[in-house]
Amino acid sequence: MTNLYDIIIRPALTEKTTQLAEHNQYVFRVDRKANKYQIRQAVEKIFGVDVVKVNTLVMPSKPKRVGRSLGRRAAFKKAIVTVADGQTIDLYALEGTEAGGEV
C-alpha cells in the first residue's frame, strides 16, 4: 500500500464514535492488510495531527439473509486512533467530500 488514502477507507460516524471523539479518539474503517504503523502515518499526514495511540480490531463477517437467499456481510478492520490533547479532527467536514460533490 503506497497511497495513504488506500489505508484509511472512511471514518465511522456513529453515536458511540461521537462520544469517543470527546476523549480525542476517532474511529476509522481501514484496509484489512494495514498495520498500526501504517495507520498512524496515514492519519498524521492526512489530518495533520499527532497520533498518541492506535488500537485495531477486525470485525467478523455476519450471516445475513434477504428472503430465502443466504449470504454474508464482509468482515472489515477498524482502527481507534487517539490524538494528542488539544488536537481534533473534524470528521463532519469530510462527509461531503467523499463523493466529490458539495453537500
Side-chain angles (χ1 to χ4, degrees):
M1 281 175 264
T2 58
N3 190 357
L4 298 175
Y5 294 95
D6 291 338
I7 295 172
I8 305 292
I9 297 174
R10 66 172 180 250
L13 300 176
T14 63
E15 186 174 347
K16 184 175 181 179
T17 61
T18 305
Q19 291 173 352
L20 285 175
E22 296 172 2
H23 302 288
N24 293 337
Q25 293 182 329
Y26 300 93
V27 182
F28 297 95
R29 187 178 282 202
V30 297
D31 188 272
R32 292 212 35 201
K33 297 176 185 174
N35 58 33
K36 292 182 180 186
Y37 181 72
Q38 292 171 330
I39 295 168
R40 174 189 293 264
Q41 283 185 327
V43 171
E44 286 178 347
K45 290 184 181 176
I46 292 172
F47 299 108
V49 294
D50 295 325
V51 175
V52 175
K53 183 169 64 169
V54 177
N55 294 334
T56 60
L57 59 140
V58 176
M59 298 296 294
S61 64
K62 295 182 179 181
K64 296 293 176 184
R65 62 180 284 173
V66 177
R68 292 192 294 175
S69 303
L70 293 175
R72 295 193 74 80
R73 179 179 291 168
F76 61 93
K77 189 172 194 175
K78 287 196 307 188
I80 302 171
V81 178
T82 305
V83 299
D85 287 336
Q87 295 183 341
T88 59
I89 299 174
D90 189 11
L91 297 177
Y92 294 104
L94 302 174
E95 202 171 354
T97 60
E98 184 175 325
E102 292 184 23
V103 178

